[in-house]
Amino acid sequence: MTSRSPTVDYWHLYTDSGGVTHQQRCALTQFELKSIGPAVAAQWQGRPTRGDMSVLFMVLPVAWVGTWHENPKPQWIVPLSGRWFVESMDGMRVEMATGEISFGADQHSQQIAGKRGHRSGTVGDAPAVLMVIQFNEAHEPSLPCAVS
């Protein structure tokens, strides 16, 4: 086993001070090599997230495209199968496949030219199955790559 701490990439959808949403590639870097329980070999563990959260699963049908909207609350989104995209107000479109991670934190965006928050949809000829881990408490606007 290597002693070098890993990094895990994710996309961060955030709102700037002008109310426009953007996406930036970020990395989780805060890992510690330790055991998760007695007699369990050490593994790289990220910092635990604490607080009131909900987990839900979504199945986006083939050719589904949502209208412009904000994430209801900050949330991690992990595709379990299929592909999906997220388009931010700045025009950036990111396509994600199984195992890629997105942190949706585009709350506090402004309505500009008919756009607010982001739009998302499926890519390809299969539904996109997503696991969403949503924070139930309110959060302040986030800076890009604020989660590490």
Side-chain angles (χ1 to χ4, degrees):
M1 178 184 289
T2 179
S3 61
R4 182 185 224 173
S5 181
T7 61
V8 176
D9 292 335
Y10 70 97
W11 285 100
H12 187 179
L13 174 66
Y14 68 96
T15 304
D16 68 19
S17 60
V20 176
T21 59
H22 308 273
Q23 296 182 82
Q24 185 167 327
R25 188 79 160 163
C26 302
L28 299 171
T29 59
Q30 304 292 318
F31 290 91
E32 182 180 355
L33 187 60
K34 64 181 185 177
S35 174
I36 198 161
V40 177
Q43 57 194 285
W44 290 104
Q45 297 177 35
R47 293 185 305 178
T49 301
R50 304 201 189 291
D52 187 27
M53 291 178 242
S54 298
V55 176
L56 62 138
F57 295 88
M58 296 182 198
V59 179
L60 308 180
V62 173
W64 180 87
V65 177
T67 58
W68 286 94
H69 65 285
E70 293 180 331
N71 285 291
K73 300 204 174 147
Q75 57 191 16
W76 289 104
I77 306 162
V78 183
L80 302 176
S81 65
R83 294 180 57 80
W84 76 304
F85 75 87
V86 175
E87 181 181 345
S88 47
M89 293 169 64
D90 64 2
M92 184 172 191
R93 177 181 159 132
V94 174
E95 294 185 5
M96 289 168 263
T98 301
E100 295 185 86
I101 305 169
S102 176
F103 186 64
D106 61 349
Q107 298 76 34
H108 311 289
S109 64
Q110 300 296 316
Q111 179 88 17
I112 300 172
K115 299 177 181 179
R116 182 175 188 154
H118 70 281
R119 120 187 143 115
S120 54
T122 56
V123 175
D125 59 357
V129 178
L130 308 176
M131 180 173 69
V132 178
I133 303 145
Q134 187 176 82
F135 296 88
N136 292 329
E137 64 273 1
H139 282 71
E140 293 300 312
S142 62
L143 299 173
C145 300
V147 181
S148 62

